[in-house]
Amino acid sequence: MGIFDWKHWIVILVVVVLVFGTKKLKGLGSDVGESIKGFRKAMNDDEKPAEQPPVQPQQPPQATPQGSPLNQPHTIDAQAHKVEEPIRKD
């Protein structure tokens, strides 16, 4: 006789029904079912490729004088430095 004996499960089921009642268990079962349906629907929606918005034709860039901010690339030039601090023993 182990924990997976069918007699033990019957006793556990009877105790759960006495504690919670059949109405709460029925509501809990339907809530769990709705949650599983929602989860499956979300998983199926993720597998489908998202609809691509229609591609709008790009307008050619306007002619600007050399050196204007519109011709410059939008990058940041920075340099990282490692700072080592001595380990203090208190």
Side-chain angles (χ1 to χ4, degrees), residues 52-60:
Q52 298 292 333
V55 178
Q56 297 179 359
Q58 294 181 350
Q59 297 177 353

Side-chain angles (χ1 to χ4, degrees), residues 14-78:
V14 168
V15 169
V16 167
V17 168
L18 289 174
V19 170
F20 293 109
T22 56
K23 287 186 179 182
K24 282 190 178 182
L25 289 177
K26 190 176 193 181
L28 179 68
S30 64
D31 290 344
V32 169
E34 290 294 323
S35 298
I36 291 172
K37 284 181 185 178
F39 179 75
R40 285 183 180 169
K41 183 179 178 185
M43 292 300 292
N44 288 337
D45 289 346
D46 287 345
E47 291 176 2
K48 294 178 184 176
E51 291 184 20
Q52 298 292 333
V55 178
Q56 297 179 359
Q58 294 181 350
Q59 297 177 353
Q62 298 176 355
T64 57
Q66 191 70 358
S68 84
L70 294 176
N71 284 341
Q72 300 299 320
H74 300 286
T75 58
I76 298 174
D77 189 16

